[in-house]
Amino acid sequence: MPVVHSRFQLAGPGAWAAYSLSGANSLGISQLYLAVVGQDSLEGKLHFWYEWTTVVRGDTQSVKLLVSADSVFSLKARRMIVKQAGRQAVELPFGGLDLEALMGQQSALGIDPEDLASAVEKAGKTGRKVEDLGSEARTVAGRRLEARRLRVTEKDGREVGLWLSPRVPFFSLVRLESPGLEVDLTGWGTAGAVERIGQDFRPLDLKGLMEGLRQPE
């Protein structure tokens, strides 16, 4: 998710959060759905299936990742399944995906709404500024939600407004405002997640793909 500085937190099976996005910097994404859609055992350890779905210029795309249930400090995905609009889902063959490296600078600040003092100190060390603007009540899908309102000033002077609540799974994000981008929570829950990919997937045929790309002699 673009420009999100709230800290990612592992959630349990059934958790979900849905967002609407708008603005020139939304990367064409109009909707985002995050969910934990199941669990599995791998090498004797409990893992959760995380799934996110985006609507990009009218097309729905989903990604499903298997992440260790105790990956608190190192988010390593062990399996990855992707599905594009109108196509069968495929599992990508890879040994592991470092989600923290993938998010890169987007997650560098990592604001925890329940530990703002650390966020303020960390922001200063990275050349940013975090201001606590107090608590603000918001209504999402008919439910009242108390959110902590923050203003993050980037090193280049750009300002990002954040509304965070620990009640919201994953990023605690209720609302985000930044130049060219607005993100709003449209629903959330700790149960009732809807799976988009399911078990209808196949392994990616790398051999066939390479043969298709091979130039005729």
Side-chain angles (χ1 to χ4, degrees):
M1 187 185 293
V3 203
V4 169
H5 295 304
S6 46
R7 183 172 66 89
F8 178 79
Q9 301 184 56
L10 292 170
W16 63 278
Y19 295 90
S20 65
L21 289 80
S22 61
N25 293 331
S26 66
L27 307 180
I29 303 171
S30 59
Q31 298 177 45
L32 172 67
Y33 183 83
L34 305 165
V36 183
V37 296
Q39 62 186 51
D40 212 338
S41 178
L42 185 64
E43 299 173 351
K45 293 184 178 181
L46 179 64
H47 286 65
F48 292 152
W49 280 106
Y50 279 75
E51 188 177 272
W52 77 78
T53 297
T54 55
V55 177
V56 183
R57 300 180 180 89
D59 289 333
T60 300
Q61 304 174 3
S62 297
V63 178
K64 188 175 179 180
L65 302 171
L66 187 64
V67 178
S68 174
D70 59 3
S71 291
V72 178
F73 301 106
S74 180
L75 297 174
K76 304 287 186 181
R78 302 298 302 276
R79 295 175 64 187
M80 181 178 185
I81 302 167
V82 299
K83 178 175 175 58
Q84 294 182 318
R87 300 181 182 180
Q88 185 182 14
V90 296
E91 180 167 1
L92 303 184
F94 73 107
L97 179 67
D98 189 327
L99 300 183
E100 291 177 328
L102 179 65
M103 290 188 283
Q105 293 299 316
Q106 308 290 4
S107 62
L109 186 51
I111 295 175
D112 183 344
E114 296 185 296
D115 188 10
L116 293 180
S118 294
V120 171
E121 180 181 359
K122 186 176 180 180
K125 294 179 180 179
T126 60
R128 299 181 177 96
K129 180 181 179 182
V130 175
E131 299 172 83
D132 184 357
L133 303 181
S135 182
E136 182 176 306
R138 302 190 65 86
T139 300
V140 177
R143 300 162 65 186
R144 180 184 173 89
L145 192 61
E146 287 290 334
R148 179 63 64 178
R149 184 178 179 183
L150 306 174
R151 179 165 56 220
V152 180
T153 304
E154 301 285 0
K155 290 179 285 188
D156 59 4
R158 178 169 48 94
E159 292 185 351
V160 178
L162 291 175
W163 284 256
L164 304 178
S165 170
R167 290 177 56 191
V168 180
F170 309 111
F171 292 100
S172 304
L173 185 65
V174 179
R175 177 170 169 78
L176 178 147
E177 292 179 353
S178 71
L181 177 66
E182 292 189 9
V183 181
D184 283 290
L185 180 72
T186 58
W188 84 97
T190 56
V194 177
E195 190 169 7
R196 307 301 173 93
I197 292 181
Q199 300 302 312
D200 183 21
F201 63 89
R202 59 177 175 79
L204 179 65
D205 183 8
L206 282 178
K207 181 179 179 181
L209 180 64
M210 295 304 297
E211 288 178 352
L213 295 174
R214 185 176 301 164
Q215 296 292 330
E217 297 181 359

